[in-house]
Amino acid sequence: MNALELNTVRLAEDRSCLEILDQTLLPGTVKVLRVDKIEDIFEAIRYLRVRGAPAIGVCAAYGIALTASRVETEDYEAFLASFLEQKKYLASSRPTAVNLFWALDRMERALRANADRTVEEIKTILFDEAQAIRDEDVAISRSIGEIGFGLMKPGDGILTHCNAGTLATAKYGTATAPMYVALEHGMTDFRVYCDETRPLLQGARLTAFELHGAGIDTTLICDNMASTVMKSGLVNMIFVGCDRVAANGDTANKIGTSGVAVLAKHYGIPFYVCAPSSTIDMSIRTGEQIPIEERDASEVTEMWYKERMAPEGVKVYNPAFDVTDHALITGIITEKGLCRAPYEQAFKELFIGQEGK
Ligand code: MRU
């Protein structure tokens, strides 16, 4: 299996539905869902059939292009009103990854910029915009990969958390992009440690599946083994993805990432966040303002187990993300370059002349 050939989400050729690789079934079953109703697109995002910040953005963009194409009106204002209602609904599927809102806002801008066109023409423009978001995502991940690859040395051990892989994007992933780019450059002499990533096991089910399938030397560890692996000198650097970066460089990513960063600091291991620039949210100053999704207790107590693994009625706290303090981050790798502290200044330079940032 070559992970790079998997299509996380795409529009069917006849534009009748979205084809979503159901990640809740991986690694055992590779099944593509065909969804066309907005409720099913919402459900696929909410329940992590499609997940990972960039992939959620791509899915929402295709999704709203599809559902807007079904709106039966020739009146621009009526079309815009339906679009905005659908946008609000899809935007409520998950709260943390800013790419969801970024992609939907970009779709709205494409619609409004073409207010003088017929509704039929606007529908085509929306499909084209969603496709552009998807294609740009591939190019962005590839650039992040090249920059990250530049930091790698033969023989390195790399630790990653959750799945910021090709399954979380349109292709290459963000944290995994340097690894895939290394393979493309003929460098195979590196090892990857994947945190299993409790409670939903994205590291075990998805990252290990991808990287092992790609022929990369992959070792799966439980989350609580990261310290011992780092202490043993097996890890030279850490690459993780992110769901939202605040203006000061504080970074939200899958729960457990901040613990990895604290350990990395303790052991003096460089900790890099791989972030498409669309993940940087200059409208919020610090990580404290990033909304953190809380998910169902059953994910901790019974999901993935044969039997329930906790007493009935016990209280469960299940935040899906945490925020890594910018002081723990060695660098943030965007497609435009490697940013180092002070991050606010570095981001401003990145976005010079760019609208909406
Ligand atoms: O809950 P998930 O599986 O959507 O969380 C995914 C992550 O936290 C990823 O690391 C992040 O979205 C970056 S994906 C390139």
Side-chain angles (χ1 to χ4, degrees):
M1 189 276 322
N2 181 352
L4 293 184
E5 281 162 16
L6 294 171
N7 265 304
T8 315
V9 53
R10 69 176 172 193
L11 187 65
E13 244 170 68
D14 62 0
R15 296 185 167 176
S16 63
C17 65
L18 298 194
E19 297 175 344
I20 294 174
L21 175 65
D22 187 349
Q23 298 190 31
T24 63
L25 304 177
L26 292 174
T29 305
V30 177
K31 182 176 168 197
V32 175
L33 298 171
R34 293 186 169 73
V35 290
D36 64 348
K37 292 196 203 64
I38 195 163
E39 293 79 15
D40 294 337
I41 297 167
F42 177 97
E43 195 269 355
I45 298 175
R46 178 82 190 104
Y47 292 101
L48 276 58
R49 301 186 194 288
V50 54
R51 32 69 50 207
I56 295 171
V58 172
C59 183
Y62 277 143
I64 202 157
L66 180 70
T67 55
S69 76
R70 303 260 165 83
V71 176
E72 287 179 18
T73 180
E74 282 167 23
D75 177 62
Y76 172 79
E77 289 302 332
F79 181 71
L80 175 64
S82 297
F83 175 96
L84 292 176
E85 213 173 285
Q86 294 174 348
K87 180 184 174 216
K88 191 170 167 202
Y89 177 60
L90 286 179
S92 66
S93 54
R94 292 191 77 187
T96 303
V98 75
N99 309 56
L100 174 65
F101 315 107
W102 171 88
L104 288 169
D105 285 347
R106 182 165 154 179
M107 295 297 283
E108 182 183 336
R109 282 200 300 278
L111 190 163
R112 288 184 187 276
N114 289 283
D116 54 339
R117 307 283 190 101
T118 66
V119 167
E120 274 322 294
E121 285 170 335
I122 295 174
K123 288 178 179 176
T124 304
I125 288 165
L126 290 177
F127 277 124
D128 292 346
E129 190 70 5
Q131 188 59 38
I133 289 175
R134 189 257 169 210
D135 293 345
E136 285 168 28
D137 188 58
V138 178
I140 286 167
S141 292
R142 186 77 183 57
S143 301
I144 288 173
E146 282 291 350
I147 297 168
F149 170 62
L151 299 166
M152 288 168 61
K153 296 178 310 307
D156 270 350
I158 303 166
L159 185 135
T160 189
H161 188 77
C162 191
N163 174 266
T166 203
L167 289 164
T169 61
K171 195 174 175 181
Y172 293 110
T174 57
T176 58
M179 306 165 196
Y180 289 121
V181 167
L183 292 188
E184 285 181 8
H185 285 294
M187 179 175 145
T188 54
D189 179 16
F190 62 95
R191 291 161 287 113
V192 181
Y193 294 90
C194 298
D195 285 351
E196 64 171 350
T197 317
R198 280 276 288 149
L200 293 184
L201 305 181
Q202 289 93 331
R205 295 187 305 106
L206 308 176
T207 308
F209 166 74
E210 272 193 29
L211 299 182
H212 179 66
I216 292 171
D217 181 343
T218 306
T219 304
L220 176 63
I221 58 171
C222 298
D223 299 324
N224 52 8
M225 297 167 189
S227 176
T228 204
V229 169
M230 289 189 210
K231 190 174 182 179
S232 311
L234 295 169
V235 178
N236 303 88
M237 66 172 74
I238 291 153
F239 287 136
V240 296
C242 66
D243 287 79
R244 199 186 294 224
V245 183
N248 71 343
D250 290 350
T251 294
N253 191 46
K254 178 53 52 193
I255 191 73
T257 304
S258 69
V260 173
V262 170
L263 291 173
K265 186 82 165 180
H266 178 74
Y267 292 117
I269 300 169
F271 180 93
Y272 293 102
V273 172
C274 301
S277 57
S278 55
T279 316
I280 301 170
D281 185 351
M282 294 300 275
S283 74
I284 55 169
R285 282 216 55 254
T286 77
E288 276 178 35
Q289 293 161 272
I290 300 177
I292 299 293
E293 177 180 15
E294 269 193 55
R295 295 186 64 88
D296 200 85
S298 63
E299 291 180 350
V300 176
T301 54
E302 49 218 272
M303 217 166 164
W304 316 115
Y305 292 114
K306 246 181 163 171
E307 287 168 35
R308 189 186 161 88
M309 277 299 136
E312 291 284 354
V314 72
K315 284 195 285 182
V316 172
Y317 176 46
N318 184 19
F321 299 94
D322 61 21
V323 174
T324 300
D325 193 286
H326 62 275
L328 299 172
I329 299 172
T330 310
I332 299 182
I333 307 174
T334 78
E335 75 278 13
K336 297 165 192 270
L338 172 60
C339 299
R340 297 207 191 254
Y343 290 108
E344 187 142 12
Q345 183 57 33
F347 296 157
K348 279 188 183 144
E349 283 163 20
L350 223 54
F351 294 128
I352 282 173
Q354 201 173 311
E355 222 185 297
K357 277 289 179 185

